[in-house]
């Protein structure tokens, strides 16, 4: 690997790390990154504390708490913890002008894990509701990963897919997860491809998904 | 109140200090036998091992070993966390790694069958919500009780977090810390881990009985 390729890889890695799919928190994350890079004096621990407190609001404990305590309480998604560690090492290595290959390997490992991969391939509308739904129906994770590939194959790489839990207020326990395909294709072409998606794949998945999941088109 | 799912299960070992560079990651990779090929990643202060397919995750760092099955849907006992914990404990045994505590973590999704989970926790644990609302000058929509208590030598941390509608996320940590603490044998750890879960499952309906 040439130096320039490594440099590009590092740059794209950090960019990817800083722009991962939690849109509402992106600004805070970028701000934290700038703050760290601007100040050579800031310790890694301070950075991790700020990162975990500012970025992963959903985690029940901040890294700060974890570092100070000697408790055995362990709550939340371990992959978020791993990701925080990974980012800390990445930034430290960048400061020292070192390569990020170990971090890239760690990220690659994370990407093999289904729930994490969903974060990087789908957009979310009311993210916490979607994750709560998936906690109750984890069997959908595999279907969703497969669905995303099918959508990309039929609608092209430019198609975005948004996950949303939709409730029918008139029926109890009627929540259903929808994947809304947002495509620049004309509506008639998009409908044809949605039909193809149903015929070629989705209808044969009904045993797996039941009434829990469906796909549809969405136009702004 | 019924238990809908086990969301995650974990055993955590806490040490006075941890010398990560001296931990043999080849042995760590083999804690579940040779058939399951894990992914291992090492950084200066973290070792992460992920075993497919559940996945089972071992994290070493921050003076702790955490063994977690983070995916929901499984049953407690499906993955032998106790066996992994004992093997990991053996890997780091030595004077430089002094165990100071170990603990079990369980996260469950429970369903309130008669009312919303928000209303249930408020009615049971915040009976005078009107006074609180008066002080706050606002309408209280949710209340998350956290109960810390001790039974024998075990410290417990129980969090009841109401989610949407009938769903209640329940988290419990059972923490074992006392002078001269030692990790029990594999069989004993297995028994204790299952007992901890049984205790949570048995106490939860009684705790929330006032709402049913």
């Amino acid at each position: 690997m040439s130096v320039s390729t490594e440099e590009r890889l590092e740059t794209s890695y950090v960019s990817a790390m800083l722009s991962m799919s939690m849109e509402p928190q992106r600004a805070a994350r970028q701000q934290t990154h700038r703050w760290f890079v601007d100040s050579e004096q800031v310790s890694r621990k301070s950075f991790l504390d700020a990162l975990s407190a500012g970025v992963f609001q959903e985690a029940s404990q901040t890294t700060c708490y974890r570092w100070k305590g000697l408790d055995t309480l362990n709550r939340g998604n371990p992959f978020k913890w791993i990701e925080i560690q990974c980012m800390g090492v990445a930034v430290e290595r960048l400061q020292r002008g070192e390569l990020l290959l170990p971090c890239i390997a760690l990220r690659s490992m994370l990407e093999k894990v289904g729930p994490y991969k969903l974060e990087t391939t789908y957009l979310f509308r009311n993210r916490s509701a979607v994750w709560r739904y998936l906690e109750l129906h984890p069997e959908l994770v595999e279907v969703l990963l497969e669905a995303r590939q099918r959508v990309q194959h039929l609608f092209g790489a430019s198609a975005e897919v948004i996950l949303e839990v939709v409730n029918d207020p008139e029926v109890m326990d009627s929540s259903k997860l929808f994947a809304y395909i947002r495509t620049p294709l004309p509506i008639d072409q998009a409908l044809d491809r949605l039909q193809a998606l149903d015929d070629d794949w989705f209808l044969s998945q009904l045993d797996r998904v039941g009434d829990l999941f469906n796909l549809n088109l969405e136009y702004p | 109140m019924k238990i809908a799912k086990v969301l995650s299960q974990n055993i955590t070992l806490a040490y006075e200090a941890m010398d990560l560079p001296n931990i043999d990651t080849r042995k760590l990779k083999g804690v579940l036998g040779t058939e399951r090929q894990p992914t291992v990643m090492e950084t200066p202060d973290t070792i992460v091992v992920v075993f497919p397919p559940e996945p089972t995750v071992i994290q070493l760092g921050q003076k702790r070993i955490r063994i977690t099955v983070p995916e929901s849907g499984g049953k407690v006992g499906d993955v032998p966390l106790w066996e992994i914990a004992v093997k990991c404990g053996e890997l780091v045994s030595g004077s430089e790694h002094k165990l100071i505590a170990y603990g079990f973590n369980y996260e469950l999704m429970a369903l309130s069958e008669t009312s919303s989970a928000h209303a249930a926790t408020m009615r049971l644990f915040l009976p005078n919500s009107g006074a609180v609302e008066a002080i706050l000058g606002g309408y209280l929509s949710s209340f998350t009780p956290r109960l810390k208590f001790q039974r024998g030598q075990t410290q417990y941390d129980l969090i009841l977090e109401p989610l949407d509608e009938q769903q209640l996320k329940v988290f419990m940590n059972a923490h074992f810390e006392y002078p001269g603490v030692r990790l029990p044998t594999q069989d004993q750890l297995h028994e204790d881990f299952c007992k901890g879960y049984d205790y949570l499952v048995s106490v939860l309906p009684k705790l929330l009985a006032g709402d049913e």
Side-chain angles (χ1 to χ4, degrees):
Chain A
M1 183 184 291
S2 69
V3 173
S4 61
T5 309
E6 286 168 352
E7 283 171 353
R8 275 203 305 277
L9 199 53
E10 288 181 5
T11 308
S12 63
Y13 172 76
V14 172
S15 302
M17 287 297 244
L18 296 172
S19 61
M20 273 184 302
S21 55
M22 294 185 179
E23 280 80 10
Q25 291 149 355
R26 181 179 292 177
R29 190 180 304 210
Q30 285 172 340
Q31 197 173 2
T32 308
H33 172 66
R34 275 199 301 277
W35 163 76
F36 180 77
V37 172
D38 287 348
S39 169
E40 295 287 321
Q41 303 304 316
V42 173
S43 72
R44 179 160 178 269
K45 179 184 176 305
S46 306
F47 172 71
L48 290 178
D49 287 351
L51 194 66
S52 45
V55 176
F56 297 109
Q57 301 278 354
E58 289 176 7
S60 305
Q61 286 187 296
T62 65
T63 307
C64 180
Y65 180 72
R66 302 297 313 170
W67 281 36
K68 287 173 183 166
L70 288 170
D71 61 288
T72 56
L73 192 147
N74 191 87
R75 196 179 174 210
N77 187 339
F79 294 111
K80 290 182 176 175
W81 180 87
I82 296 168
E83 191 182 340
I84 290 172
Q85 293 295 315
C86 186
M87 288 183 77
V89 172
V91 175
E92 196 175 61
R93 280 175 166 264
L94 267 185
Q95 266 203 331
R96 293 201 302 256
E98 294 174 1
L99 296 179
L100 291 177
L101 292 178
C103 310
I104 292 165
L106 184 53
R107 181 170 172 81
S108 145
M109 181 184 80
L110 286 170
E111 284 173 347
K112 289 177 190 166
V113 179
Y116 188 86
K117 207 167 177 182
L118 285 184
E119 286 275 4
T120 58
T121 51
Y122 279 96
L123 300 175
F124 288 75
R125 195 172 284 141
N126 193 347
R127 177 186 305 277
S128 55
V130 172
W131 279 113
R132 280 202 294 274
Y133 193 82
L134 290 174
E135 278 179 347
L136 280 176
H137 307 293
E139 64 275 17
L140 290 181
V141 170
E142 204 174 314
V143 179
L144 287 171
L145 291 173
E146 213 173 313
R148 189 65 187 88
Q149 288 182 343
R150 299 272 174 175
V151 169
Q152 182 164 333
H153 176 69
L154 279 167
F155 289 84
S158 62
E160 294 178 327
V161 189
I162 303 147
L163 291 179
E164 181 180 10
V165 175
V166 178
N167 297 298
D168 182 346
E170 294 182 354
V171 185
M172 265 192 81
D173 295 330
S174 64
S175 336
K176 182 183 268 199
L177 181 65
F178 271 86
Y180 290 108
I181 303 164
R182 199 187 278 168
T183 171
L185 292 172
I187 184 82
D188 52 342
Q189 280 185 40
L191 282 170
D192 285 347
R193 291 184 194 195
L194 186 64
Q195 185 65 49
L197 182 67
D198 281 349
D199 294 342
D200 296 347
W201 178 72
F202 187 62
L203 292 178
S204 59
Q205 307 305 315
L206 290 179
D207 284 347
R208 293 165 80 192
V209 302
D211 288 334
L212 299 173
F213 171 63
N214 207 343
L215 296 124
N216 210 340
L217 297 175
E218 178 176 285
Y219 281 88
Chain B
M1 179 66 56
K2 68 173 182 185
I3 307 299
K5 291 210 176 197
V6 178
L7 299 177
S8 75
Q9 40 186 313
N10 162 281
I11 294 179
T12 294
L13 316 180
Y15 291 85
E16 200 168 72
M18 191 170 268
D19 184 15
L20 285 185
N22 283 333
I23 290 171
D24 187 343
T25 48
R26 283 173 308 170
K27 287 184 181 168
L28 198 56
K29 282 172 75 171
V31 293
L32 280 178
T34 51
E35 286 181 6
R36 295 175 67 179
Q37 284 302 311
T39 306
V40 180
M41 186 60 221
E42 289 179 76
T43 67
D45 48 13
T46 306
I47 299 175
V48 179
V49 187
V50 181
F51 290 89
E54 290 91 2
T56 304
V57 184
I58 304 175
Q59 301 159 259
L60 288 87
Q62 298 173 343
K63 300 178 186 176
R64 292 174 181 78
I65 299 175
R66 304 180 179 97
I67 303 120
T68 310
V69 183
E71 302 273 311
S72 59
K75 292 177 190 163
V76 164
D78 280 357
V79 177
L81 294 180
W82 46 88
E83 181 186 340
I84 304 170
V86 167
K87 286 181 176 171
C88 288
E90 286 167 357
L91 274 180
V92 301
S93 62
S95 57
E96 69 278 22
H97 297 116
K98 187 184 169 200
L99 183 76
I100 54 168
Y102 65 94
F104 308 144
N105 296 282
Y106 315 92
E107 198 157 26
L108 317 171
M109 187 68 79
L111 295 176
S112 170
E113 290 169 311
T114 55
S115 64
S116 96
H118 296 286
T121 53
M122 278 203 281
R123 214 167 19 245
L124 292 167
F125 297 101
L126 198 62
N128 198 4
S129 60
V132 178
E133 286 177 337
I135 294 167
L136 295 174
Y139 170 69
L140 204 58
S141 58
S142 188
F143 178 66
T144 300
R146 178 173 188 169
L147 312 169
K148 292 187 176 188
F149 56 99
Q150 184 150 355
R151 290 172 68 231
Q153 286 188 308
T154 313
Q155 297 159 44
Y156 291 85
D157 196 337
L158 176 63
I159 302 169
L160 306 172
E161 184 185 359
L163 301 176
D164 293 340
E165 299 170 3
Q166 270 72 37
Q167 295 176 11
L168 181 73
K169 193 185 260 191
V170 179
F171 170 82
M172 189 178 84
N173 169 244
H175 177 81
F176 304 84
E177 181 180 357
Y178 43 85
V181 64
R182 293 170 67 98
L183 198 60
T185 61
Q186 192 173 303
D187 288 345
Q188 187 64 51
L189 199 62
H190 179 186
E191 191 181 329
D192 292 348
F193 187 74
C194 293
K195 269 187 186 170
Y197 175 73
D198 291 343
Y199 169 69
L200 173 61
V201 170
S202 70
V203 84
L204 206 55
K206 294 177 197 165
L207 200 57
L208 297 164
D211 186 58
E212 301 295 328

